[in-house]
Amino acid sequence: MFKKNTAGVDTARVRERLEKHRKKMKLSLKACAHCTLCAESCFLYMARDKDPKYTPSYKFINSIGILYKTNGNVDKVTLGEIRDNVWERCALCTRCYCPLGIDIPEMIALARSICREQGVYPQYDRE
């Protein structure tokens, strides 16, 4: 079986953080119907010609969803991809609305905090 190189990531700490929110993450991921009704509440989605990568559900699923699915066994590359979703594609303005009651901003904030703890931040100086 292929084992991910998690060097440079404190996976035990990531798992510890995830465990504190496991019930809410599981319920939220299970409840997401991929309906995209949250999309038009996101000003970035609207401003980026409705690029699907800017829908709140995409950002949620491709951040917390990945962390949950892998049980925190992620590498720096994966955290970099999550960083792009939760910082570069999200202003965390809390305007996103889920008709099923998922607190998307809370989940994205959790993903941000996990990235931050692992030293993965936005890189504003890159092109």
Side-chain angles (χ1 to χ4, degrees), residues 8-83:
V9 177
D10 183 353
T11 55
R13 177 68 181 143
V14 174
R15 282 191 299 277
E16 180 182 318
R17 290 291 310 279
L18 293 174
E19 191 57 39
K20 291 179 182 176
H21 302 275
R22 183 155 310 279
K23 286 181 184 177
K24 189 162 191 173
M25 286 186 308
K26 183 177 181 178
L27 179 62
S28 297
L29 288 164
K30 196 171 189 174
C32 182
H34 307 279
C35 65
T36 67
L37 290 174
C38 58
E40 292 192 7
S41 66
C42 179
F43 73 90
L44 289 172
Y45 169 77
M46 298 303 285
R48 301 293 194 287
D49 295 323
K50 298 185 178 182
D51 181 342
K53 288 184 179 179
Y54 286 86
T55 61
S57 58
Y58 179 92
K59 294 179 271 193
F60 159 61
I61 291 166
N62 289 285
S63 59
I64 286 300
I66 290 169
L67 290 167
Y68 180 83
K69 184 177 177 182
T70 62
N71 195 30
N73 291 315
V74 292
D75 56 14
K76 288 279 187 176
V77 172
T78 303
L79 286 177
E81 293 166 1
I82 291 171
R83 174 204 56 224

